[in-house]
Amino acid sequence: MVKIKSVTPGSAAEKNGIIGGDILEMINGHGIRDVLDYMYYSAEAELEICITRSCEKKVIHIEKGEYDDLGLEFETFLMDNKQSCRNKCVFCFIDQMPKGMRETLYFKDDDARLSFLQGNYVTLTNLEQEDIDRIIEMKLNINVSVHTTNPELRVKMMKNRFAGEKLKYIYQLAENGIKLNCQIVCCPGLNDGDELRRSLTDLGSLMPNITSMAVVPVGLSKYRDGLYPLTSFTKETAGETLDIIEEFQQKFLKQFGTRTVFPSDEFYLIAERELPSFEEYEDFSQYENGVGMLRSIIDEFDKALETAEWEGEERHVTIATGYSPYDIICSLAKKAMQYFPKLKCDVYRIRNDFFGEKITVTGLITAQDLIAQLKGKDLGDELLISSAMIRTNSDVFLDDFTIADVEKELNVKIRTTANDGYELLDAMMGIVW
């Protein structure tokens, strides 16, 4: 049961007398504990709603369009608290952050409901059989952080004595038709090499209900005192990992018609290998894991150039990026300047002093590093940065500086761009959407 905060004006719930402050007990005989129960059971056209008002139970019958929103609002999106992570993974980036950052950055969520609703990855370690039964009943496709299918190694990597036995849920979900996207954070000397082969073999046995797998390299900050002694991938070890993944891609492609497993872009950059073609990423199912992001941007940028028209006055912009994509961003800037002689585009790679030089991705660049490394430079008309540096739905960097703070320090207007080649070219040209 959960307390109703308010009722949407004009909704089916309001028309049938439900009001804020009522306690929602049941829908069609099913107890309601959170947003999944509410969404699933309220989707039907004919509803029997059981509420409590002033200690008195009431039953209200409602007819509405199937899947139409009932119109109830609750205190929180999930209707209760987020489920926090019970693991202490040896590679967890949250454990590698400095003290003194905003509190929300230190919260580790491991909530299967957010996997379905928002695409988060979960380990399944805080779920019980009743949770799995509900996922199967509701036919909820989810994203799973697997890391390894070796039970003993999973316990070691996740520092959770239940991590190994919870692997059974992956098999149970797949065998009951639930579609799973899987993720492996790969750590040299732990779950790479033969252990990676084992994991890909085991997960491959569950296809086609394993719909995609992403393999991403571990990220190591400079704040690792007292943590497990991990090492970063080298050109050689990244290449060896790519060889294994590409071997399985060909195997799956031949057997199932899809490559299924994809390495993140970082592996190609570390190994100094050319990115795969656009077609080889298929439907870009692991894009949010950094799989195919750079290839997508390159191809979009090239297509945008083919039809771009710009007759503006001379324009000078600067792009700030991480070390990993620096060469690629430079190549895009060069193409744009060749197309448009009036355009000058400088690219600066920002060293990550805040988290440590081993962190080379653009999304973890802080305002402090931008200011320290760009102050006093001629940044032109605008400074272009990736929106990945900014907290979602805000103008705040990881270190709590705002865009306005950085603009003031660098004396330049800042423009954020999504990971999109068309948008990047528009930003270079100063086109406002």
Side-chain angles (χ1 to χ4, degrees), residues 144-178:
V144 181
S145 292
V146 180
H147 308 314
T148 177
T149 57
N150 178 335
E152 293 78 16
L153 179 58
R154 198 169 196 248
V155 169
K156 177 181 178 179
M157 292 186 68
M158 301 175 76
K159 292 188 177 181
N160 182 326
R161 62 192 179 95
F162 301 108
E165 67 179 71
K166 298 293 184 176
L167 284 169
K168 66 184 179 184
Y169 291 155
I170 295 175
Y171 295 88
Q172 189 176 347
L173 290 168
E175 288 164 0
N176 281 275
I178 301 302

Side-chain angles (χ1 to χ4, degrees), residues 215-277:
V215 183
V216 302
V218 62
L220 303 179
S221 83
K222 64 183 181 182
Y223 301 99
R224 290 197 55 82
D225 291 346
L227 299 180
Y228 188 93
L230 293 173
T231 58
S232 300
F233 276 94
T234 63
K235 178 181 178 180
E236 180 182 4
T237 56
E240 291 169 353
T241 301
L242 282 175
D243 290 341
I244 292 172
I245 295 170
E246 289 171 357
E247 169 193 332
F248 276 85
Q249 283 184 324
Q250 295 308 309
K251 176 183 176 181
F252 294 151
L253 186 62
K254 182 177 180 180
Q255 187 173 358
F256 301 104
T258 173
R259 293 171 178 81
T260 306
V261 58
F262 301 92
S264 72
D265 296 351
E266 282 185 84
F267 273 114
Y268 291 100
L269 299 177
I270 296 169
E272 298 179 17
R273 293 190 184 181
E274 186 176 346
L275 294 169
S277 67

Side-chain angles (χ1 to χ4, degrees), residues 123-356:
T123 66
L124 307 180
T125 57
N126 62 3
L127 300 188
E128 302 299 335
Q129 186 60 51
E130 64 177 329
D131 300 306
I132 299 301
D133 292 340
R134 180 168 74 151
I135 291 171
I136 293 171
E137 177 192 356
M138 295 182 177
K139 298 179 175 59
L140 305 178
N141 300 327
I142 62 173
N143 304 324
V144 181
S145 292
V146 180
H147 308 314
T148 177
T149 57
N150 178 335
E152 293 78 16
L153 179 58
R154 198 169 196 248
V155 169
K156 177 181 178 179
M157 292 186 68
M158 301 175 76
K159 292 188 177 181
N160 182 326
R161 62 192 179 95
F162 301 108
E165 67 179 71
K166 298 293 184 176
L167 284 169
K168 66 184 179 184
Y169 291 155
I170 295 175
Y171 295 88
Q172 189 176 347
L173 290 168
E175 288 164 0
N176 281 275
I178 301 302
K179 304 297 183 184
L180 306 173
N181 293 311
C182 297
Q183 175 195 69
I184 294 173
V185 175
C186 204
C187 305
L190 280 178
N191 60 339
D192 59 345
D194 288 340
E195 288 293 347
L196 178 59
R197 287 190 175 91
R198 171 177 175 165
S199 296
L200 297 182
T201 298
D202 291 344
L203 294 173
S205 70
L206 299 175
M207 291 174 64
N209 288 325
I210 299 294
T211 55
S212 70
M213 301 177 237
V215 183
V216 302
V218 62
L220 303 179
S221 83
K222 64 183 181 182
Y223 301 99
R224 290 197 55 82
D225 291 346
L227 299 180
Y228 188 93
L230 293 173
T231 58
S232 300
F233 276 94
T234 63
K235 178 181 178 180
E236 180 182 4
T237 56
E240 291 169 353
T241 301
L242 282 175
D243 290 341
I244 292 172
I245 295 170
E246 289 171 357
E247 169 193 332
F248 276 85
Q249 283 184 324
Q250 295 308 309
K251 176 183 176 181
F252 294 151
L253 186 62
K254 182 177 180 180
Q255 187 173 358
F256 301 104
T258 173
R259 293 171 178 81
T260 306
V261 58
F262 301 92
S264 72
D265 296 351
E266 282 185 84
F267 273 114
Y268 291 100
L269 299 177
I270 296 169
E272 298 179 17
R273 293 190 184 181
E274 186 176 346
L275 294 169
S277 67
F278 189 92
E279 291 70 26
E280 288 176 85
Y281 286 103
E282 299 179 6
D283 61 356
F284 288 80
S285 57
Q286 290 280 357
Y287 187 86
E288 296 304 320
N289 261 321
V291 175
M293 192 173 288
L294 290 176
R295 172 51 67 195
S296 178
I297 291 172
I298 292 169
D299 279 37
E300 289 167 350
F301 193 87
D302 289 345
K303 289 177 181 177
L305 275 176
E306 290 175 2
T307 57
E309 296 181 2
W310 182 52
E311 297 179 356
E313 299 177 356
E314 290 188 359
R315 177 170 166 80
H316 176 199
V317 297
T318 296
I319 301 175
T321 185
Y323 268 53
S324 290
Y326 172 76
D327 289 338
I328 289 173
I329 299 301
C330 283
S331 70
L332 300 183
K334 184 178 179 180
K335 289 178 186 177
M337 288 187 288
Q338 289 173 341
Y339 266 75
F340 306 112
K342 292 183 179 180
L343 174 65
K344 179 183 179 184
C345 184
D346 295 322
V347 182
Y348 285 96
R349 53 184 173 188
I350 304 301
R351 183 181 62 254
N352 202 318
D353 292 330
F354 189 89
F355 288 111

